[in-house]
Amino acid sequence: MKIASATTRRRRLAVGVLLGAALLATLISAWGTSWSIPAASVDHGSYTLVASWHGTDAPSGAFLRPIGVGVAPDGDVFVTDARRRVVHLDRHGTVKGEWGREGDGPGEFSNPLGVAVAPSDGSVYVSDFFQDRVQKFTRHGDFVLAFGSPGAAPGHFDAPAGLAVSDRGDVYVTDFYNDRVQQFRPDGSFAGVVGHAGRLGGGALHYPTGVDVTADGRILVADAYNYRLQWFAQDGRPLKRLGYHLVWLWPRPAASVAGFNVPTDVAVGPSGRIHVADSGNHRVLMLSERGARLGTWVLPDADPDIYSPEHIAVSPDGATVYATDLASDRVLVLGVTSDPPADR
């Protein structure tokens, strides 16, 4: 009887240790995470399709699988596409020019993907997914500098994707296969790393594709294949995660408004509204500053085999969102309601 009693106690102790460890792991993983996207108490957000741009007046032809889009302080729009170029349009969709060609020299591209415009001086940054570098241009396409090279060390890239430029000029680049975001100064010098490779916990990234920076310096990352959106402090500390998780732990795609399915980009408007390209669900979601759902727009004629919209950008006044639809060779122009966001 004593032997049996001791064995039972050991088993109970082992079970208790396992349960305690599981609870601790759950609590640690849960820190800063919302398990689904909450609805705002009052829904003030909606999108209206205003136009579809095909770039038919571009010198080298209409858009071909456009993917990157950025907006300048004056409202002009810049788009990258498979013709290995950057197309410059005004706010009405009229082409003002283009630059780029195939190659690995200054002003040349292999697969230009992300594009972002500096709020301070209108400089245009373009990431090249295949060449592992970022190039900086004037708004007229004059080459300024390039930075980055293949690798995993600080300042190196393995498939740079999305781009963002903060109000103070810092450049943020999603480093796709290195599972991180890198920060650079306007002169291209390395400044820091945000996030690390992983599937669980705050700051863990899995193939991030999009990034933007809020007015107060917080960094938002479209953590595409963790199926979530993440917030980071200006110094890189993880602050918050938003997305559906299985059993409160493992990030999973969601087809409902409870979560994301491969969110590929994020853009923050001047009012703090957040716009997310939820490409696997063929939609754009509007969120409040805190991540509450304000509105949804679904691509009506989506190709089920292609994730799209891919990248998005918001106009300086916050009234317009631009989304690239590479499946249909167009840029979608969405009007945004002017009501203030709920649940800030």
Side-chain angles (χ1 to χ4, degrees), residues 43-51 267-276 284-287 294-297 312-323 332-341:
D43 192 339
H44 284 294
S46 64
Y47 296 106
T48 302
L49 180 62
V50 176
V268 183
S271 67
R273 278 184 177 170
I274 300 166
H275 307 276
V276 183
V284 177
L285 293 181
M286 187 191 309
L287 308 176
L294 299 172
T296 305
W297 182 83
I312 59 174
V314 60
S315 63
D317 61 4
T320 307
V321 167
Y322 303 93
L332 301 166
V333 183
L334 303 176
V336 182
T337 56
S338 58
D339 293 339

Side-chain angles (χ1 to χ4, degrees), residues 11-124:
R11 288 176 178 172
R12 289 175 177 172
L13 178 62
V15 170
V17 169
L18 290 174
L19 290 175
L23 177 61
L24 179 61
T26 300
L27 292 174
I28 292 173
S29 179
W31 175 81
T33 298
S34 294
W35 304 127
S36 62
I37 304 172
S41 58
V42 179
D43 192 339
H44 284 294
S46 64
Y47 296 106
T48 302
L49 180 62
V50 176
S52 295
W53 296 349
H54 293 270
T56 53
D57 53 341
S60 58
F63 290 138
L64 178 64
R65 298 191 298 278
I67 188 166
V69 60
V71 182
D74 64 357
D76 280 4
V77 180
F78 296 82
V79 179
T80 61
D81 74 352
R83 296 190 192 277
R84 300 177 178 88
R85 64 181 177 177
V86 178
V87 181
H88 179 186
L89 309 98
D90 66 18
R91 68 184 67 193
H92 305 294
T94 301
V95 173
K96 300 177 71 172
E98 66 171 51
W99 72 84
R101 62 182 181 181
E102 185 175 7
D104 58 7
E108 297 177 335
F109 305 107
S110 178
N111 184 12
L113 202 155
V115 58
V117 185
S120 57
D121 62 5
S123 296
V124 181

Side-chain angles (χ1 to χ4, degrees), residues 32-342:
T33 298
S34 294
W35 304 127
S36 62
I37 304 172
S41 58
V42 179
D43 192 339
H44 284 294
S46 64
Y47 296 106
T48 302
L49 180 62
V50 176
S52 295
W53 296 349
H54 293 270
T56 53
D57 53 341
S60 58
F63 290 138
L64 178 64
R65 298 191 298 278
I67 188 166
V69 60
V71 182
D74 64 357
D76 280 4
V77 180
F78 296 82
V79 179
T80 61
D81 74 352
R83 296 190 192 277
R84 300 177 178 88
R85 64 181 177 177
V86 178
V87 181
H88 179 186
L89 309 98
D90 66 18
R91 68 184 67 193
H92 305 294
T94 301
V95 173
K96 300 177 71 172
E98 66 171 51
W99 72 84
R101 62 182 181 181
E102 185 175 7
D104 58 7
E108 297 177 335
F109 305 107
S110 178
N111 184 12
L113 202 155
V115 58
V117 185
S120 57
D121 62 5
S123 296
V124 181
Y125 294 83
V126 183
S127 63
D128 197 311
F129 196 76
F130 289 164
Q131 292 184 358
D132 297 317
R133 67 174 180 172
V134 172
Q135 296 187 71
K136 179 181 180 179
F137 303 89
T138 68
R139 62 178 289 107
H140 303 295
D142 299 318
F143 175 81
V144 177
L145 59 85
F147 56 91
S149 58
H156 293 201
F157 297 119
D158 191 353
L163 290 168
V165 186
S166 71
D167 288 342
R168 67 180 189 180
D170 289 333
V171 183
Y172 295 84
V173 186
T174 56
D175 193 3
F176 187 74
Y177 287 118
N178 282 327
D179 298 308
R180 64 187 179 185
V181 175
Q182 295 200 72
Q183 178 186 356
F184 297 85
R185 302 177 185 91
D187 63 0
S189 59
F190 173 77
V193 172
V194 176
H196 60 272
R199 304 302 305 277
L200 299 175
L205 300 173
H206 190 54
Y207 301 145
T209 52
V211 61
D212 205 0
V213 185
T214 65
D216 61 1
R218 287 174 297 152
I219 305 156
L220 273 70
V221 180
D223 190 6
Y225 288 90
N226 272 333
Y227 313 107
R228 64 190 180 187
L229 185 65
Q230 291 207 57
W231 283 252
F232 294 84
Q234 192 169 338
D235 61 6
R237 290 178 294 109
L239 298 175
K240 180 179 179 180
R241 294 165 281 160
L242 183 66
Y244 180 74
H245 283 53
L246 181 65
V247 196
W248 300 305
L249 288 173
W250 198 256
R252 298 292 299 165
S256 70
V257 291
F260 306 109
N261 183 10
V262 190
T264 45
D265 202 12
V266 58
V268 183
S271 67
R273 278 184 177 170
I274 300 166
H275 307 276
V276 183
D278 189 14
S279 66
N281 285 321
H282 306 294
R283 65 188 176 191
V284 177
L285 293 181
M286 187 191 309
L287 308 176
S288 72
E289 281 188 71
R290 295 181 178 178
R293 187 179 72 256
L294 299 172
T296 305
W297 182 83
V298 179
L299 186 61
D301 52 352
D303 184 331
D305 298 321
I306 301 178
Y307 288 169
S308 189
E310 274 283 345
H311 281 205
I312 59 174
V314 60
S315 63
D317 61 4
T320 307
V321 167
Y322 303 93
T324 54
D325 181 13
L326 61 89
S328 297
D329 299 321
R330 62 188 177 182
V331 174
L332 301 166
V333 183
L334 303 176
V336 182
T337 56
S338 58
D339 293 339

